[in-house]
Amino acid sequence: MPEAPKDYNLVEQNRKILEFIEDVTSNADQVQQKVLSEILSRNANVEYLRRHGLNGQTDRDTFKKLLPVISYEDLQPDINRIANGDTSPILCSKPISEFLTSSGTSGGERKLMPTIEEELGRRSLLYSLLMPVMSQFVPGLENGKGMYLMFIKAEAKTPSGIVARPVLTSYYKSSYFRDRPYDPYTNYTSPNETVLCPDSYQSMYSQLLCGLCQNKEVLRVGAVFASGFIRAIRFLEKHWTLLCNDIRTGSVNAEITDVSVREAVMKILKPDPKLADFIEAECGKKSWQGIITRLWPNTKYVDVIVTGTMSQYIPTLDYYSNGLPLVCTMYASSECYFGVNLTPLCKPSEVSYTLIPTMCYYEFLPVNRTNSDHSDSLSDKEQQDLVELVDVKVGQEYELVVTTYAGLYRYRVGDVLRVAGFKNKAPQFNFVCRKNVVLSIDADKTDEVELQNAMKNAVTHLVPFDATVSEYTSYADTTTIPGHYVLYWELTLNGTTQIPPCVFEDCCLAIEESLNSVYRQGRVSDKSIGPLEIKIVEQGTFDKLMDYAISLGASINQYKTPRCVKFAPVVELLNSRATSTYFSPKCPKWVPGHKQWINNNNQN
């Protein structure tokens, strides 16, 4: 951490940032017009805008009339050209500096979001808003440290050599993070070297070791997703004896072989038998309830995303943290960073994000919940009737559509948001869900079509036994750490030969092999997802499921077997009727990068 400049004034810095939020939210529509005009004028000559006949015009009406609302598949041919080495200005007048790999997938592979160098500055700006907001609710955070567990993930290169990596990996490797100037709010317990270590075990071990060594200085703890933070607690459960030994002796375990990590940790680590005894006593107790506040007694809150599918982890976090506030500070994606939570100590169920009007140009597609299968193709009228940022209505749900500085125009992000209220003229949104996602444990997002295709591949293993799956559903089980997918199968057995367990295990693996690369990376590299499980249930189980739904008011005429279940009584019903259970015997195949790049490299 660099020294504070002599003229550094934290109160003044915070005041300026809060003033900025006040200003851009008060003038949201004017700012949005300026953002659109800037994006369109600087990219006036790019191929994509010329293709749609914009001819340098920058007004909203012409833009909405001529440019279609698009999804990733519409853009993929242009993105593939850039990935394969076309350097002409296709989407953006500035060179594409890297691709950010989305956790959303297309054709089983991560989506590639083009980005430009200056976007790092925009992302950095949004980060700079978070702590001045937080300081209004929790004073004194500048006097301690944050134990934030931050990790980089595998990256790949496109055939033309452009780096493709997740947005956080890009940020952590940038000078904005590595060479950040003095800021008491970015004073973390983890040295940069431990964050930038590509080995996930060494990174986690060394970050927890540094966090434990500085346990009295820690005022806040966190990770990006709730699932990642819980994984860190489980890691601590498994390895606390080794960590205690390092603290007792002032030496780093031999398993940590990364030289830069060892050197960085040794600057913090000193022999401290008293601290080792304290940690040993706490971790050795039968119950780990409140372990966060026991080991890090000055912690004020846990900073993790617990909205959307991450809400399933709230009870576990409450257990480990003794009910500390769970704080969701920001809303962002690979496409763009969007907004901040201006009331960070609210309940997780009440989290709303204020969209910052300078980040990109926003539009909103009204979502009709009575027709949840909202068609992906929009009529001309629907495309022109997208709602402006300042015109959304409280209580209405919308799909987010963005136009970015990096070359996305009227792009459907795929998030459904509900308007909770306004900060001045800027709306505040609850995150409702990701469109079409059925199963999710960590960064993975599996939809119904993908699950159905995976099922088709798996059931071929049952053909020699004259058996079929008559009904199935699925469940994201987060009671295990890491969480894992569970499939419930009801079988029709026409043959007389008993099906051996290895066949069902092969079915588990076949499903995993068929799922997208984000899921497979979670299984193989990140270890953030456990082996897939198939539970065989008794005959008639799905009839019971229908009876239960009808007893709660479902229409017998319109009832369809849900392909994913979340409601606890339904999960209990399915589990109570399970006759056998099988797990995937090994990890599916996964390597960094897209299949086609790997194939190209193998052919070269």
Side-chain angles (χ1 to χ4, degrees):
M1 183 82 177
E3 288 292 310
K6 285 195 176 72
D7 58 348
Y8 188 84
N9 184 330
L10 182 67
V11 174
E12 182 59 18
Q13 292 274 101
N14 286 357
R15 188 191 62 76
K16 280 182 181 168
I17 283 169
L18 296 173
E19 208 171 75
F20 166 80
I21 294 171
E22 200 63 35
D23 179 49
V24 295
T25 56
S26 298
N27 301 290
D29 198 47
Q30 297 91 309
V31 172
Q32 279 284 277
Q33 286 192 58
K34 183 172 174 249
V35 165
L36 182 63
S37 179
E38 270 178 15
I39 291 170
L40 297 180
S41 56
R42 66 154 69 170
N43 294 314
N45 294 315
V46 304
E47 182 186 321
Y48 184 86
L49 294 183
R50 284 192 285 114
R51 194 186 300 160
H52 291 288
L54 206 60
N55 298 326
Q57 293 174 90
T58 61
D59 63 288
R60 276 176 176 169
D61 291 344
T62 310
F63 169 74
K64 288 189 168 202
K65 192 175 173 186
L66 296 178
L67 263 79
V69 176
I70 59 164
S71 59
Y72 185 77
E73 287 66 30
D74 300 310
L75 212 53
Q76 207 160 5
D78 289 324
I79 284 171
N80 288 342
R81 283 171 58 196
I82 298 165
N84 288 313
D86 190 332
T87 56
S88 63
I90 299 170
L91 297 172
C92 186
S93 60
K94 300 268 177 81
I96 301 302
S97 54
E98 60 185 323
F99 283 112
L100 301 176
T101 54
S102 164
S103 59
T105 56
S106 175
E109 299 286 355
R110 284 179 180 268
K111 294 176 182 175
L112 299 172
M113 295 300 156
T115 193
I116 54 178
E117 199 64 44
E118 73 177 53
E119 278 296 288
L120 277 164
R122 220 166 263 114
R123 289 194 279 276
S124 202
L125 166 76
L126 199 78
Y127 283 127
S128 76
L129 310 181
L130 306 180
M131 292 309 294
V133 169
M134 197 72 209
S135 68
Q136 298 175 103
F137 301 89
V138 185
L141 291 170
E142 68 279 7
N143 299 322
K145 296 187 176 186
M147 187 183 79
Y148 281 71
L149 300 160
M150 301 172 273
F151 305 95
I152 59 167
K153 292 199 175 183
E155 53 186 59
K157 284 194 172 173
T158 70
S160 64
I162 300 174
V163 174
R165 56 192 176 192
V167 64
L168 285 171
T169 299
S170 164
Y171 183 73
Y172 295 149
K173 287 191 167 186
S174 76
S175 60
Y176 285 93
F177 179 81
R178 285 185 292 108
D179 307 323
R180 56 192 184 276
Y182 174 82
D183 181 343
Y185 293 139
T186 59
N187 191 3
Y188 303 123
T189 55
S190 298
N192 287 357
E193 292 83 355
T194 63
V195 174
L196 297 171
C197 175
D199 183 301
S200 60
Y201 176 90
Q202 295 189 54
S203 178
M204 179 78 86
Y205 187 96
S206 55
Q207 289 192 61
L208 283 171
L209 180 56
C210 292
L212 287 166
C213 288
Q214 304 167 82
N215 73 322
K216 293 282 173 58
E217 296 175 68
V218 171
L219 300 182
R220 53 202 167 103
V221 298
V224 179
F225 292 119
S227 54
F229 191 75
I230 289 166
R231 225 162 42 246
I233 296 170
R234 176 48 57 93
F235 187 97
L236 184 60
E237 280 188 79
K238 280 186 181 172
H239 302 291
W240 63 264
T241 51
L242 295 177
L243 291 158
C244 280
N245 187 58
D246 288 1
I247 293 167
R248 191 179 303 285
T249 58
S251 59
V252 184
N253 191 291
E255 284 186 322
I256 308 306
T257 55
D258 187 308
V259 176
S260 65
V261 169
R262 291 184 71 88
E263 287 174 356
V265 172
M266 285 308 295
K267 288 175 185 170
I268 294 165
L269 185 63
K270 300 287 178 287
D272 193 339
K274 195 176 168 189
L275 177 59
D277 288 344
F278 166 73
I279 295 165
E280 209 164 67
E282 291 300 332
C283 292
K285 286 177 184 169
K286 195 174 177 185
S287 170
W288 268 50
Q289 185 169 0
I291 196 69
I292 300 301
T293 48
R294 281 155 50 188
L295 294 178
W296 293 277
N298 300 316
T299 306
K300 305 279 192 266
Y301 61 90
V302 182
D303 188 340
V304 284
I305 293 170
V306 286
T307 49
T309 56
M310 288 295 140
S311 62
Q312 60 198 339
Y313 296 103
I314 291 170
T316 311
L317 284 169
D318 284 341
Y319 176 82
Y320 285 127
S321 73
N322 246 349
L324 281 175
L326 304 176
V327 172
C328 302
T329 54
M330 65 185 283
Y331 170 43
S333 75
S334 305
E335 291 86 347
C336 186
Y337 279 22
F338 303 123
V340 296
N341 180 1
L342 296 181
T343 52
L345 293 186
C346 66
K347 292 179 190 165
S349 58
E350 293 167 6
V351 168
S352 69
Y353 302 102
T354 302
L355 299 193
I356 301 300
T358 55
M359 299 307 291
C360 64
Y361 179 67
Y362 303 98
E363 294 177 89
F364 299 89
L365 173 63
V367 171
N368 179 3
R369 292 298 260 185
T370 56
N371 175 18
S372 56
D373 297 326
H374 198 291
S375 171
D376 273 354
S377 54
L378 303 175
S379 67
D380 289 347
K381 184 176 186 312
E382 281 179 310
Q383 300 216 19
Q384 288 186 45
D385 285 352
L386 262 62
V387 180
E388 298 294 338
L389 181 69
V390 297
D391 295 330
V392 294
K393 299 282 184 281
V394 172
Q396 170 69 50
E397 291 182 1
Y398 299 91
E399 189 187 332
L400 179 61
V401 176
V402 297
T403 296
T404 70
Y405 285 89
L408 299 177
Y409 305 94
R410 306 197 86 192
Y411 179 86
R412 296 172 74 166
V413 174
D415 290 352
V416 176
L417 309 175
R418 184 187 302 113
V419 187
F422 281 81
K423 162 70 174 173
N424 298 321
K425 299 286 175 61
Q428 299 177 305
F429 289 94
N430 308 127
F431 180 89
V432 177
C433 64
R434 211 43 214 162
K435 266 187 74 195
N436 303 328
V437 171
V438 172
L439 291 168
S440 177
I441 293 290
D442 189 52
D444 54 300
K445 297 176 177 72
T446 298
D447 65 32
E448 196 170 317
V449 174
E450 190 176 6
L451 185 61
Q452 180 62 33
N453 288 335
M455 279 288 299
K456 274 185 198 163
N457 293 337
V459 296
T460 57
H461 292 278
L462 302 180
V463 172
F465 301 91
D466 203 8
T468 55
V469 176
S470 52
E471 270 298 3
Y472 77 93
T473 191
S474 62
Y475 170 58
D477 185 353
T478 55
T479 60
T480 59
I481 301 173
H484 69 292
Y485 290 7
V486 180
L487 270 72
Y488 297 93
W489 284 9
E490 187 173 317
L491 301 178
T492 300
L493 302 167
N494 301 312
T496 51
T497 311
Q498 193 169 1
I499 305 170
C502 64
V503 171
F504 289 116
E505 290 174 358
D506 288 344
C507 290
C508 292
L509 185 59
I511 291 169
E512 293 200 302
E513 293 280 12
S514 306
L515 294 177
N516 61 69
S517 65
V518 179
Y519 173 89
R520 287 180 283 114
Q521 180 176 352
R523 281 279 284 119
V524 177
S525 173
D526 303 340
K527 305 287 192 289
S528 57
I529 304 169
L532 182 137
E533 180 181 9
I534 289 175
K535 290 190 177 189
I536 307 300
V537 296
E538 295 169 15
Q539 294 286 318
T541 295
F542 282 84
D543 289 339
K544 293 263 187 227
L545 196 61
M546 181 174 73
D547 293 343
Y548 182 73
I550 290 164
S551 76
L552 295 180
S555 160
I556 192 161
N557 296 319
Q558 293 178 297
Y559 177 81
K560 287 189 301 192
T561 300
R563 288 301 172 225
C564 175
V565 295
K566 293 173 185 168
F567 189 41
V570 171
V571 176
E572 282 168 28
L573 186 154
L574 290 163
N575 284 335
S576 72
R577 296 178 65 86
T579 56
S580 55
T581 185
Y582 307 93
F583 287 91
S584 194
K586 60 182 182 180
C587 285
K589 295 184 190 74
W590 174 81
V591 286
H594 277 210
K595 252 184 248 161
Q596 65 266 31
W597 308 342
I598 296 153
N599 294 341
N600 289 348
N601 289 340
N602 290 342
Q603 287 161 16
N604 290 341

